Amino acid sequence: MSKLLSNTKDCLALFGVLVICLLCGFYLFNSGEKIANGDSSDVTECSDECMEEFFDSYAEMTASGEQDNMLIVVSSNRPNDYEASGIVEGPNHTYYLMYNDLEKRDNAYEQFANDDTVSVEKNNKMELLNYMSWGIEQMGIDDGIIARGDAGENVKVAVIDTGLDMNRFLEYFPSKTVSVYDVVSNSESPSEMSDAIGHGTHIAGTIAEGTADCTSLMIFKAERDGKVTVSDVNTAIYKAIDAGVDVINLSLGSNDYSESQKRAIDIASANDIVVVAAAGNENNSVIMYPAGYDNTISVAALDRNLERAVWSAEDNTGSNYNAMIDYAAPGTRIRSINGFASGTSVAAPHVTAAVALLKSYNNDLGLDEVNMLLRKHVVDLGEDGRDDYYGYGMIDLNDVEFCENAYCDEYGVFAVDVSIDDLTGGVAEIAVLDDGIMVTADEACMVVISNDSGETYNVVPTMTVIGGGDKHKFEFEITKEVEVLVVLKGDGDMDGVITPRDLNLLSRSLLSTTANGRYRALTELEKIVFDFDIDGNVTPADLNTLNRALISPTLRPYKAIEW
């Protein structure tokens, strides 16, 4: 459903490449001296010595000044320097002027701007593009990929489209697992897979770039003679279900409702397969299908300003808007492995990548759970709340903390902060011992042993653990000596909130290995607190028990700990 750029006025060629060339120049003006008069040399007329002199002069000037303090002037004659501290004359009538501060630079800029005989520009910074698609970073999907790393559940993403240019795909993603199926020829042979249109290749490239290594792609070619039909797409959906995929991307659509296609997607949804579809490029409120079905995620397109994309007023092409839109995603001038494209077709795979990222933490997530999690992390665009242009907004995973270890939401996807109130309801009685001595949890989530007079005691455990599961009671013999503070709740940085970082601190503290790979010896107190299976060591199994004891997911989502 994208507008491939070879066919529309507002798009660039699929294989366009922007090349910025730094060409030859000559002669340095530094320390306030004037350069010699004369025309600036064309780079083709510049000798090797000329080039060396330019590079040396430019390096010397920029080493002694700030890049922000520079102006670049194009003039057929040597321009007035307006108190520049240095100037390098380059090729093609280009001059590089350095100023001592921004005030002098700006004053000079205003004077040059009022001179019709010259062109002036500030030395603006250029964006470093780490990803082909600017949408990957805009939505924070890159942060999610880094957080996921090499671990995670294997997620299979199906791309039902026009096929795949296998050679080009493997040039960019040689280690990505990809399988193929051609509906027309009923073939699973990679050597027979092709993509004459390039649409499917573009979609697959964005998804591959936006997913972790644990995500594999399954390409379903549903195009024949330049056309994609409902029957071929339905067949591909059933094949994808049979292959056990987890997410399906459908960057295609029709104005006509299809009961047969709705039923195919119903089966996919019943198997916790999340279907993502493009909303359409007709620049109107018409509902396109499959995006219009209630069990798909409908994706609209954004431009660079995060506004609803309109690509051509003349051709009336723009992102559709209607009551079925769920999210909006970058869909303007999206670069993939075969060039640039615009459309809701190239917006949809960004959402598909986000869904695959969530399912890499919990592959049992269905459509409802995925939507609930995604809606917690969106940038609300347009009117407050959901609207027909942007749905719930743009998914934003920037700086989101994903699940690590045990302190996670009930779905095991995002990390959560756990407060003392979640654990104990505040300052709570844990156990009452003989002679009025109590064990309590204080506001720093520490365990304090004290009596009614406020005196503190050393603890000698009796090695008695009563209970199991998430209920434990500890009995101690108390001898009056010194204050005892025991980190029991895992709040390693003692900020009053338990986070995944605390568990890492606790793990490193308790599970420090030696050269022979053994766990370090435990104090008697650590044994009674942390050695849940009472084997003399604190192991990962014990920590897992501790995790379950401290944080038991319920609908709250956490319940107070009972001791």
Side-chain angles (χ1 to χ4, degrees):
M1 207 177 289
S2 63
K3 297 292 183 182
L4 284 178
L5 305 188
S6 58
N7 295 322
T8 58
K9 298 170 97 177
D10 58 323
C11 303
L12 297 180
L14 273 175
F15 305 106
V17 178
L18 175 62
V19 180
I20 299 175
C21 297
L22 178 63
L23 302 180
C24 166
F26 71 100
Y27 209 86
L28 167 72
F29 165 69
N30 203 7
S31 303
E33 297 180 10
K34 302 290 185 181
I35 66 170
N37 291 326
D39 290 338
S40 180
S41 298
D42 185 282
V43 67
T44 59
E45 300 173 357
C46 193
S47 64
D48 291 343
E49 290 78 9
C50 156
M51 293 178 65
E52 288 296 329
E53 185 172 359
F54 166 71
F55 292 133
D56 290 344
S57 300
Y58 180 83
E60 182 179 347
M61 184 181 74
T62 54
S64 61
E66 296 291 335
Q67 288 278 310
D68 289 344
N69 294 343
M70 286 182 62
L71 291 177
I72 305 171
V73 177
V74 178
S75 174
S76 57
N77 297 305
R78 185 189 64 80
N80 191 324
D81 58 63
Y82 297 115
E83 298 186 70
S85 61
I87 182 169
V88 170
E89 183 178 0
N92 303 315
H93 307 289
T94 302
Y95 298 83
Y96 302 88
L97 288 76
M98 180 69 72
Y99 293 86
N100 289 331
D101 52 52
L102 290 177
E103 183 178 359
K104 289 185 176 180
R105 183 207 68 176
D106 291 342
N107 288 336
Y109 180 84
E110 290 182 8
Q111 296 185 73
F112 281 124
N114 292 324
D115 186 348
D116 294 336
T117 66
V118 302
S119 170
V120 62
E121 57 192 275
K122 295 177 181 178
N123 193 29
N124 295 323
K125 293 181 175 65
M126 301 188 70
E127 181 181 1
L128 295 175
L129 300 176
N130 296 319
Y131 287 81
M132 289 184 290
S133 168
W134 60 271
I136 298 295
E137 292 176 290
Q138 184 72 53
M139 293 172 59
I141 296 173
D142 56 324
D143 286 351
I145 295 172
I146 294 171
R148 178 70 287 179
D150 296 331
E153 299 187 32
N154 180 28
V155 178
K156 298 178 182 178
V157 177
V159 180
I160 299 176
D161 216 284
T162 62
L164 179 67
D165 183 337
M166 288 291 296
N167 291 333
R168 182 174 291 275
F169 183 88
L170 294 176
E171 283 179 15
Y172 284 84
F173 306 105
S175 61
K176 199 76 170 180
T177 301
V178 58
S179 55
V180 301
Y181 176 72
D182 189 334
V183 174
V184 178
S185 63
N186 192 28
S187 170
E188 298 180 358
S189 172
S191 63
E192 296 180 15
M193 176 56 61
S194 63
D195 184 8
I197 296 175
H199 191 273
T201 299
H202 197 285
I203 305 305
T206 299
I207 295 174
E209 184 178 42
T211 51
D213 291 341
C214 56
T215 300
S216 59
L217 269 64
M218 302 190 72
I219 308 300
F220 296 85
K221 182 175 181 178
E223 174 269 328
R224 62 177 85 204
D225 301 325
K227 299 177 181 179
V228 178
T229 64
V230 170
S231 62
D232 283 343
V233 171
N234 290 355
T235 301
I237 291 173
Y238 287 125
K239 184 70 174 180
I241 296 171
D242 187 59
V245 305
D246 305 294
V247 190
I248 297 176
N249 187 94
L250 294 171
S251 290
L252 42 81
S254 168
N255 293 334
D256 299 321
Y257 177 93
S258 168
E259 179 62 26
S260 64
Q261 191 168 89
K262 174 64 165 58
R263 294 190 178 200
I265 295 176
D266 282 344
I267 296 176
S269 184
N271 284 275
D272 291 333
I273 301 171
V274 179
V275 180
V276 180
N281 302 331
E282 281 63 48
N283 198 28
N284 58 36
S285 60
V286 172
I287 296 176
M288 300 284 286
Y289 298 96
Y293 302 131
D294 57 8
N295 53 1
T296 63
I297 294 178
S298 177
V299 183
L302 299 170
D303 61 18
R304 275 281 196 169
N305 297 318
L306 302 187
E307 297 177 348
R308 184 179 73 89
V310 177
W311 302 291
S312 172
E314 181 179 342
D315 296 335
N316 197 32
T317 56
S319 180
N320 281 14
Y321 47 92
N322 52 63
M324 301 307 293
I325 303 296
D326 291 297
Y327 307 100
T332 301
R333 286 186 50 75
I334 299 300
R335 185 187 173 205
S336 187
I337 59 177
N338 58 345
F340 292 85
S342 293
T344 56
S345 274
V346 298
H350 292 88
V351 174
T352 295
V355 172
L357 181 61
L358 266 57
K359 287 180 77 73
S360 73
Y361 286 89
N362 181 354
N363 216 343
D364 293 329
L365 296 173
L367 177 64
D368 292 342
E369 293 84 3
V370 165
N371 273 324
M372 184 191 66
L373 290 167
L374 289 178
R375 290 171 191 173
K376 293 179 179 179
H377 300 286
V378 295
V379 176
D380 188 5
L381 303 172
E383 298 177 0
D384 291 342
R386 194 210 160 273
D387 61 71
D388 288 355
Y389 290 92
Y390 305 99
Y392 292 94
M394 183 191 72
I395 297 165
D396 184 8
L397 301 178
N398 286 287
D399 301 321
V400 170
E401 190 174 7
F402 285 86
C403 176
E404 294 180 13
N405 302 308
Y407 300 111
C408 309
D409 60 28
E410 59 183 305
Y411 299 102
V413 177
F414 296 116
V416 294
D417 291 338
V418 183
S419 68
I420 297 168
D421 287 342
D422 291 324
L423 295 174
T424 67
V427 178
E429 178 181 319
I430 294 178
V432 179
L433 307 181
D434 294 339
D435 302 323
I437 297 173
M438 301 176 64
V439 184
T440 60
D442 70 4
E443 65 276 2
C445 218
M446 309 291 288
V447 171
V448 180
I449 313 300
S450 62
N451 63 12
D452 293 338
S453 301
E455 297 173 300
T456 55
Y457 292 83
N458 192 20
V459 177
V460 178
T462 62
M463 300 297 294
T464 301
V465 178
I466 302 175
D470 61 356
K471 297 181 181 180
H472 298 275
K473 180 177 179 180
F474 306 114
E475 294 183 355
F476 303 90
E477 294 177 0
I478 308 299
T479 59
K480 183 176 178 180
E481 286 185 8
V482 295
E483 180 180 19
V484 176
L485 295 178
V486 180
V487 178
L488 179 62
K489 294 295 191 298
D491 184 19
D493 54 11
M494 292 190 237
D495 62 353
V497 179
I498 292 180
T499 65
R501 181 174 180 273
D502 292 312
L503 184 61
N504 291 333
L505 292 172
L506 179 63
S507 299
R508 287 195 292 272
S509 172
L510 295 179
L511 304 181
S512 302
T513 57
T514 59
N516 61 4
R518 296 177 181 272
Y519 296 111
R520 70 170 172 80
L522 302 177
T523 66
E524 290 300 305
L525 189 57
E526 286 174 335
K527 286 180 181 179
I528 192 62
V529 172
F530 298 112
D531 184 16
F532 282 85
D533 56 9
I534 319 179
D535 66 352
N537 282 324
V538 172
T539 65
D542 293 310
L543 288 186
N544 288 335
T545 302
L546 176 64
N547 297 336
R548 289 192 295 271
L550 293 181
I551 301 182
S552 301
T554 65
L555 295 178
R556 290 189 44 191
Y558 297 99
K559 69 180 185 64
I561 300 303
E562 298 178 61
W563 297 89

